[in-house]
Amino acid sequence: MATDLVVIGLGHVGLPLSRAAVSAGLATMGYDVSGTVVSGLAAGRSHVGGVFDAEVAVMLDAGFHATTDPAVLDGAQTVVICVPTGLTPGGLPDLSAVEDAARVVAARLRPGMLVVLESTSYPGTTEDVVRPLLEHGSGLQAGEDFHLAYSPQRIDPGNETWTIRNTPKVVSGCSSLCAKYAVAFYSRFVDHLVLARGTREAEMAKLLENTYRYVNMALVDEVALFCHETGIDIWDVLHCAASKPFGFAPFRPGPGVGGHCIPVDPRYLTARAESQGFAFRTLAAAHEVLGRMPNHVVDRALALLTDARGRSEGARALLLGITYKADVADVRETPAHPVAAGLLAAGAEVYYHDPYIAEFTVGGRSLPRAENLQEAMAQADVAILLQDHACYAREALGQARCALLDTRGTAVGSRVTLL
C-alpha cells in the first residue's frame, strides 16, 4: 500500500499530527530515532500528553506504524519533519535534529515528493539549511524535481477547543508550485489555511507569535514586581484592565516561563538578528525580567519561612504544580526547576505535589513526591502554588495550616500571600 505521509519525529508535534492525518484517512507512518518511543507506540502506549493510549490503538488499527528504519520513507508521497529545535549549552539555536532529519530524507528523496518542515526555527532555515542538504544528498532540485515547504506547528498542549483541524495553519513553499502542493496536502485535514508569501515569512510569523507572548509576559511580570514594591494589588489591576473590550490583551504574571516554545523561540530570533547585525532590545529586556521571576518567588517564600520559623534552614517547602502549564504533563523549561534549586540552596527541605509528574529531579537530586495533597500541606511550613492545576481548589488551598504563596492569583484565605 502506498504511503500518503511519513512523519519524522513522533513527539509533542509529530504524534498529534499523525493522529490528525490518520483520522482524515491518510495512510500514515512514523519515523523516530528513539527505540523507546517506537516500541511504546507499537504497544499502544502514548508518551505525549493529549494523545491517549486508546487513540494510539485506533491509529494502529488504521494501519499506522512507527519505526526506527528510514526505509519507511521509500514510496512516501509526503514527508513532514517535526523534530525538536532546542538550544546549545551556550544558548544558541541547535538545528542538529533538523539537519539529521534532512539527511535521512535526502537519502530516500524521489521526484514528486513533498517535504515539509514544521520544526520552529529562524527565518531562512528551510531555504538555507534544509534545502541544500536535500539537494546535495539527492541530486534533485527543489521546486523542479521535488516540492519543499514550511508550515509552522500551532499545537497548544491541553487545549481541547483548538485542534489541528480547526486552528488556522500557515503554509508556505520555496516556489508557488511547492506552496500549491503543501496547500493540497494540509487541506485534507485542516479546515483553514493561510498562505504566506514565502518560507521566511512563515518562519518569522511563528517566531513573532511566541515572541509576542514572551514580551507581554515580561511586561506583566515587571508590573507585578513594581506593584509588590508599592503595595498595589496586581490582580485587581489586571481585573480592571481586562474589562476594556478593545486595545488590551490580558496576560497574567507567574513564577517564570516554561515549555519548549516560549523560552526558546525568542532566542532563535535574537540569534538570527544578531548574526545579521540587528539587536532586539525589547527581547533583551524581556529576557532579563523573566529571568528574575523564579528568584523573586524564592525570596518571597524565604520571607514567609523567616516570619513563621525564624529561619529557612530545615523548613519544609511544598511545591504545588511543577509542570510548565496547567493540567499538562510536561516539565520542559519549567520555572519549578530554578525555584526548587533556590530553596534547596537556602537549606529548605523541598518536596512537591503534582498529579501529572511521577519524578522530578533538580541538580541531580530527586525530590520527594507527595501523594496526598491534604497531608502534604499539613506537614509543610510553606506551600508555593506554581501551577494552578484543576485539582487545586482555591478555597481548600486557602484553608491550609501552612502559609501559601500563590503565584497564580487563584487562592483565597487568611494565610494566602499573593505574588
Side-chain angles (χ1 to χ4, degrees):
M1 181 178 67
T3 303
D4 295 320
L5 168 65
V6 172
V7 177
I8 297 182
L10 298 173
H12 293 268
V13 175
L15 191 58
L17 176 66
S18 300
R19 178 185 57 184
V22 170
S23 298
L26 277 69
T28 304
M29 300 294 174
Y31 170 81
D32 200 287
V33 296
S34 170
T36 301
V37 167
V38 168
S39 60
L41 291 173
R45 296 191 305 271
S46 172
H47 57 287
V48 173
V51 179
F52 303 103
D53 291 351
E55 294 176 308
V56 174
V58 171
M59 294 168 63
L60 295 174
D61 289 341
F64 175 78
H65 174 67
T67 180
T68 58
D69 185 356
V72 71
L73 296 168
D74 293 337
Q77 294 182 1
T78 300
V79 175
V80 179
I81 299 173
C82 300
V83 296
T85 47
L87 299 172
T88 66
L92 297 176
D94 182 3
L95 294 181
S96 58
V98 169
E99 294 167 348
D100 290 343
R103 293 187 184 98
V104 169
V105 176
R108 306 277 177 170
L109 196 59
R110 62 175 181 80
M113 183 182 287
L114 169 65
V115 180
V116 185
L117 177 64
E118 283 209 6
S119 304
T120 303
S121 188
Y122 55 75
T125 300
T126 305
E127 291 276 5
D128 302 336
V129 177
V130 175
R131 181 173 183 169
L133 289 171
L134 293 177
E135 293 182 340
H136 177 74
S138 67
L140 303 176
Q141 296 296 310
E144 298 180 11
D145 303 311
F146 70 96
H147 314 291
L148 179 58
Y150 180 77
S151 181
Q153 60 89 6
R154 277 179 169 171
I155 292 175
D156 186 16
N159 192 329
E160 298 180 0
T161 300
W162 293 103
T163 65
I164 289 179
R165 166 65 73 176
N166 65 0
T167 301
K169 188 163 182 57
V170 175
V171 179
S172 65
C174 290
S175 68
S176 58
L177 184 60
C178 292
K180 180 178 179 180
Y181 272 83
V183 167
F185 165 68
Y186 282 110
S187 64
R188 298 179 69 177
F189 55 94
V190 179
D191 292 336
H192 181 60
L193 301 178
V194 179
L195 185 61
R197 169 174 283 186
T199 58
R200 284 177 172 80
E201 285 76 13
E203 291 161 337
M204 186 65 200
K206 173 61 179 179
L207 294 186
L208 177 59
E209 292 170 18
N210 286 337
T211 299
Y212 167 84
R213 295 171 62 193
Y214 188 81
V215 169
N216 279 280
M217 287 176 179
L219 172 63
V220 172
D221 278 345
E222 192 162 33
V223 170
L225 294 173
F226 171 76
C227 287
H228 170 65
E229 294 292 334
T230 54
I232 299 172
D233 187 338
I234 178 59
W235 304 103
D236 191 58
V237 171
L238 292 171
H239 168 72
C240 293
S243 66
K244 185 178 182 181
F246 55 89
F248 180 82
F251 286 80
R252 298 174 70 83
V257 296
H260 176 67
C261 293
I262 303 302
V264 175
D265 293 358
R267 304 289 290 276
Y268 270 67
L269 181 55
T270 299
R272 185 61 167 177
E274 289 178 349
S275 71
Q276 298 179 342
F278 185 90
F280 269 102
R281 298 176 182 175
T282 304
L283 288 184
H287 181 68
E288 189 275 331
V289 171
L290 291 171
R292 291 167 56 190
M293 295 310 294
N295 288 334
H296 176 67
V297 173
V298 171
D299 290 342
R300 298 292 305 280
L302 294 178
L304 291 175
L305 288 175
T306 300
D307 290 342
R309 302 178 78 255
R311 60 195 182 99
S312 59
E313 291 83 357
R316 292 177 60 81
L318 172 65
L319 306 183
L320 301 177
I322 60 170
T323 63
Y324 85 88
K325 184 177 182 181
D327 299 311
V328 171
D330 194 340
V331 294
R332 289 179 296 175
E333 305 294 333
T334 174
H337 275 289
V339 170
L343 292 170
L344 289 170
E349 297 180 11
V350 182
Y351 60 122
Y352 77 97
H353 176 276
D354 195 307
Y356 298 97
I357 305 300
E359 297 181 359
F360 188 55
T361 301
V362 177
R365 178 176 176 178
S366 181
L367 298 187
R369 182 193 187 198
E371 298 290 344
N372 185 287
L373 176 60
Q374 186 175 2
E375 293 178 0
M377 295 195 68
Q379 297 170 1
D381 294 303
V382 65
I384 308 170
L385 181 65
L386 295 177
Q387 197 52 261
D388 51 345
H389 294 322
C391 65
Y392 297 141
R394 61 198 303 258
E395 293 82 5
L397 290 180
Q399 294 172 2
R401 178 195 64 83
C402 67
L404 174 68
L405 175 60
D406 178 9
T407 71
R408 297 296 178 178
T410 60
V412 293
S414 61
R415 305 213 65 187
V416 175
T417 298
L418 298 177
L419 180 68

